[in-house]
Amino acid sequence: MKKFILLLALCVCTVIAAGGSTMWSPLDREIFKLNDQVSQDLGEKTSFYDWLEVSATASPEEIHRAYKRLSRKIHPDKVRRKVGSKGIKEATDRFTRLGLINKILRDTDSKERYDFFLEHGFPKLRGSDYFYSRYRPGVGFVIIFLFLLVGFGHYVALKITASQHRKHMSMIIEDAKSTAWPGGFPEGGKKKVALPNGKVFMVYPDGGVSLIENNVEYPLLLQDIHDPELKDTVLYTLPLKIFHQFFPPKPPGRVLGTKDDSDVSTSTAAESESSEEKPKLKAKPAVKAGGRRRK
């Protein structure tokens, strides 16, 4: 199981690293980021041209004039009284965003790139590094996500293993029956057969098959192979193991008030009573040396 977890973790890291490949250029990523911010601020279908109130065929000079006009309108110093100190950061971010958009639209290559995405649609799959830079999940979130991913993979592996064991047992049962009953129907009583794998089985007329080892029969029952549950995966076993490291389980002890305790208390009381009933020995008088008492 440990090898499987390590292998799965390695695969996850490989996928994450591959997702951060250079599929998109830094310019593309900047365009994606600005487009998401504008859509969130002004509306989902709002384009850079809509914000500047110019057409997509506007010249660089027209775009610059529209930028100057709008920048004077949304400048942080201009809206400070309206938004107050709490909204000044958003106003500053919006003003900075406008400057970046003006820079992109006035450059021929970057404008063509933006027009391409605007016409064909912005991609949904942009690489893991783009989403990481945008949402910046914490270390705790990443650990929990990887733990859940590994736990799900462990469950799938246990599910596949149980299915394979069930399939293997079913094949052995059918092979034992076909060996014992060449005609396909039960003949006589139970029969002992040996398969090519060297194992010996007992086949019963009702279709039951048992494995014989050391003269002991072990019935082969498909229902004994259970599908995995949550408690069988690392999602349950690993936290439980960590918990027991800090809080070891108490060893089983005798519960007060049980039959054993009553027997012990009864025997103790009986012993005390018997000791009280024994006669006390009287002390013998001391005999002086010489047999006489001195006057």
Side-chain angles (χ1 to χ4, degrees), residues 223-266:
Q223 57 268 27
D224 287 345
I225 304 177
H226 301 285
D227 287 330
E229 299 179 358
L230 178 63
K231 64 180 181 180
D232 301 322
T233 65
V234 294
L235 294 176
Y236 178 84
T237 58
L238 185 59
L240 185 63
K241 185 176 181 180
I242 295 175
F243 178 81
H244 286 164
Q245 289 292 332
F246 293 96
F247 304 98
K250 295 182 179 180
R254 189 168 56 244
V255 181
L256 296 178
T258 59
K259 182 179 179 181
D260 295 339
D261 287 334
S262 61
D263 293 342
V264 172
S265 59
T266 304

Side-chain angles (χ1 to χ4, degrees), residues 205-225:
D206 59 356
V209 178
S210 299
L211 172 65
I212 301 178
E213 288 186 349
N214 299 325
N215 295 326
V216 180
E217 294 189 14
Y218 301 94
L220 301 183
L221 303 175
L222 295 177
Q223 57 268 27
D224 287 345
I225 304 177

Side-chain angles (χ1 to χ4, degrees), residues 34-275:
L34 289 172
N35 180 74
D36 291 342
Q37 291 174 344
V38 170
S39 299
Q40 185 178 3
D41 190 20
L42 302 175
E44 184 178 356
K45 296 184 179 180
T46 304
S47 65
F48 296 171
Y49 301 111
D50 295 335
W51 194 18
L52 291 172
E53 296 182 351
V54 296
S55 64
T57 58
S59 63
E61 291 76 14
E62 292 175 336
I63 293 173
H64 186 65
R65 285 197 296 269
Y67 161 72
K68 287 290 187 181
R69 181 176 62 253
L70 185 58
S71 63
R72 288 193 296 267
K73 183 178 180 182
I74 67 170
H75 194 278
D77 294 339
K78 192 81 172 179
V79 299
R80 185 182 298 273
R81 294 181 179 179
K82 295 181 180 180
V83 299
S85 58
K86 295 183 178 180
I88 195 65
K89 184 181 183 303
E90 295 181 1
T92 303
D93 294 341
R94 190 178 297 111
F95 182 77
T96 303
R97 193 180 307 135
L98 179 62
L100 295 174
I101 290 175
N102 173 62
K103 182 180 178 181
I104 290 175
L105 296 182
R106 290 184 63 189
D107 182 78
T108 304
D109 295 336
S110 58
K111 183 178 183 299
E112 289 180 357
R113 194 62 177 163
Y114 171 74
D115 292 340
F116 173 82
F117 291 122
L118 187 63
E119 180 180 356
H120 296 87
F122 289 86
K124 296 181 182 292
L125 184 60
R126 306 174 185 178
S128 59
D129 58 338
Y130 170 78
F131 289 104
Y132 182 83
S133 63
R134 180 180 179 187
Y135 298 107
R136 294 189 180 278
V139 177
F141 175 83
V142 174
I143 293 176
I144 293 175
F145 173 76
L146 292 178
F147 176 68
L148 294 176
L149 186 63
V150 170
F152 176 75
H154 188 206
Y155 174 80
V156 173
L158 293 176
K159 186 87 172 176
I160 295 174
T161 302
S163 178
Q164 291 177 345
H165 287 174
R166 196 178 292 111
K167 183 178 180 180
H168 180 67
M169 181 181 290
S170 179
M171 292 176 59
I172 290 178
I173 292 174
E174 293 301 322
D175 290 344
K177 288 181 180 180
S178 61
T179 304
W181 308 328
F185 297 97
E187 299 176 358
K190 61 182 181 179
K191 292 185 178 181
K192 183 184 294 186
V193 297
L195 296 184
N197 59 6
K199 300 292 184 179
V200 180
F201 299 88
M202 183 68 73
V203 181
Y204 290 86
D206 59 356
V209 178
S210 299
L211 172 65
I212 301 178
E213 288 186 349
N214 299 325
N215 295 326
V216 180
E217 294 189 14
Y218 301 94
L220 301 183
L221 303 175
L222 295 177
Q223 57 268 27
D224 287 345
I225 304 177
H226 301 285
D227 287 330
E229 299 179 358
L230 178 63
K231 64 180 181 180
D232 301 322
T233 65
V234 294
L235 294 176
Y236 178 84
T237 58
L238 185 59
L240 185 63
K241 185 176 181 180
I242 295 175
F243 178 81
H244 286 164
Q245 289 292 332
F246 293 96
F247 304 98
K250 295 182 179 180
R254 189 168 56 244
V255 181
L256 296 178
T258 59
K259 182 179 179 181
D260 295 339
D261 287 334
S262 61
D263 293 342
V264 172
S265 59
T266 304
S267 61
T268 305
E271 291 177 358
S272 61
E273 290 178 359
S274 61
S275 62

